Amino acid sequence: MPTLFIPHGGGPCFFMDWTMMGGPADTWDDTAAWLKSIPASLPEKPKALLVVSAHWEETEFTVSTAAAPDMIFDYYGFPQHTYELSYPAPGAPELAKRVQELMTSHGLPAPHAAERGYDHGVFVPLLVAFPDADIPILTLSLTGDLSPEKHLQLGKALSGLRDEGVLIIGSGMSYHNMRAFRTPAATAPSAEFDTWLTEALTGDDPERRWAQLSNWLDAPQARNSHPREEHLLPLMVAAGAAEGDIGEKVFSDNVMNATVSAFRFG
């Protein structure tokens, strides 16, 4: 399996009339079309999805062991029908045990959360990409210290899952300055940061990529593009699990005046 870093959009954006948020109705159409294309791009149907969402942080990396995760509607101010969305994909408690073994063997604590459901960084894009909800899903948290090196190490620890039919997905946004979205202030900085990110991920030297991502704050427009980096860190997990695979930009669009991209390894 490859690993993916996907943009999960804004709230329940794919399931509402975006003109209600003051933007064009087709704002998220290209992103939705790309998400729908993911299954056909894979070598086979995944046995499970391991999703690291920007919207779950814990003190240590935490594994969900829920067998039937509930919905977590962690967005606000959207139409009522978007709080009735359902994604009944099963959890993956057996995979959770495997992940905990891999983490502890690499020196990472591996606590679990028995009741953790699907936040919108999980169910919103997956409702588009895998609408049948028939693939087990394991969710895994970020750590609140927001260490890029630690998230790269997590990905490295999990890389063997790719050979076991598990699709590792980092769900975030390559640009996430909420104050600049929908304004001209987002356009040039997001493009500049995206150029750096693309060059870092598509280079043929995995060690250099690791070093660049570990020191991502040295990139042009880094802090402007991510005032807080929780939406970038899922990329670190996907890149850490890439091993020697070269990254590829597989999607890019201008959304709400900002460049937003998706990347694939393998």
Side-chain angles (χ1 to χ4, degrees):
M1 283 291 158
T3 72
L4 296 174
F5 175 67
I6 67 172
H8 61 230
C13 59
F14 308 117
F15 303 97
M16 59 174 289
D17 179 355
W18 197 251
T19 61
M20 298 177 66
M21 306 305 293
D26 64 353
T27 295
W28 296 102
D29 286 4
D30 287 348
T31 307
W34 178 75
L35 289 169
K36 290 176 183 177
S37 76
I38 290 175
S41 75
L42 302 176
E44 61 184 0
K45 184 176 181 177
K47 293 181 173 63
L49 309 177
L50 189 157
V51 185
V52 179
S53 166
H55 292 279
W56 184 18
E57 296 177 29
E58 299 286 353
T59 303
E60 301 288 353
F61 294 121
T62 301
V63 180
S64 173
T65 57
D70 293 327
M71 306 291 288
I72 302 174
F73 295 106
D74 53 344
Y75 44 73
Y76 308 94
F78 290 95
Q80 180 57 40
H81 75 270
T82 64
Y83 298 91
E84 299 168 4
L85 294 170
S86 177
Y87 195 67
E94 290 304 313
L95 177 59
K97 294 177 184 177
R98 171 77 173 126
V99 167
Q100 288 175 303
E101 291 172 357
L102 290 170
M103 290 169 65
T104 54
S105 71
H106 283 76
L108 296 169
H112 73 275
E115 303 298 330
R116 176 70 186 187
Y118 298 143
D119 62 60
H120 82 269
V122 179
F123 75 81
V124 168
L126 295 189
L127 263 169
V128 180
F130 299 96
D132 291 339
D134 60 349
I135 302 174
I137 298 172
L138 176 68
T139 56
L140 181 57
S141 78
L142 304 174
T143 58
D145 60 7
L146 305 179
S147 162
E149 176 75 20
K150 187 184 291 186
H151 289 79
L152 285 162
Q153 291 287 354
L154 173 65
K156 183 177 181 180
L158 301 177
S159 60
L161 294 174
R162 297 173 57 191
D163 293 329
E164 300 172 22
V166 178
L167 178 63
I168 298 172
I169 299 175
S171 175
M173 293 285 280
S174 59
Y175 176 87
H176 198 255
N177 185 333
M178 296 299 290
R179 292 187 176 183
F181 269 129
R182 294 195 260 184
T183 77
T187 306
S190 67
E192 191 173 355
F193 181 72
D194 191 82
T195 296
W196 174 87
L197 189 63
T198 301
E199 291 175 352
L201 297 179
T202 60
D204 59 5
D205 184 346
E207 291 185 6
R208 184 170 186 267
R209 176 176 71 205
W210 188 289
Q212 287 178 296
L213 292 177
S214 295
N215 298 286
W216 74 276
L217 277 171
D218 294 337
Q221 302 295 340
R223 188 52 84 190
N224 185 311
S225 297
H226 291 277
R228 191 174 186 273
E229 54 264 47
E230 80 287 342
H231 274 72
L232 185 65
L233 288 178
L235 169 63
M236 308 299 180
V237 181
E243 297 187 306
D245 288 333
I246 295 173
E248 177 186 3
K249 182 190 285 187
V250 287
F251 171 75
S252 192
D253 191 20
N254 186 281
V255 178
M256 298 190 297
N257 293 93
T259 301
V260 174
S261 298
F263 296 90
R264 170 178 170 144
F265 301 90

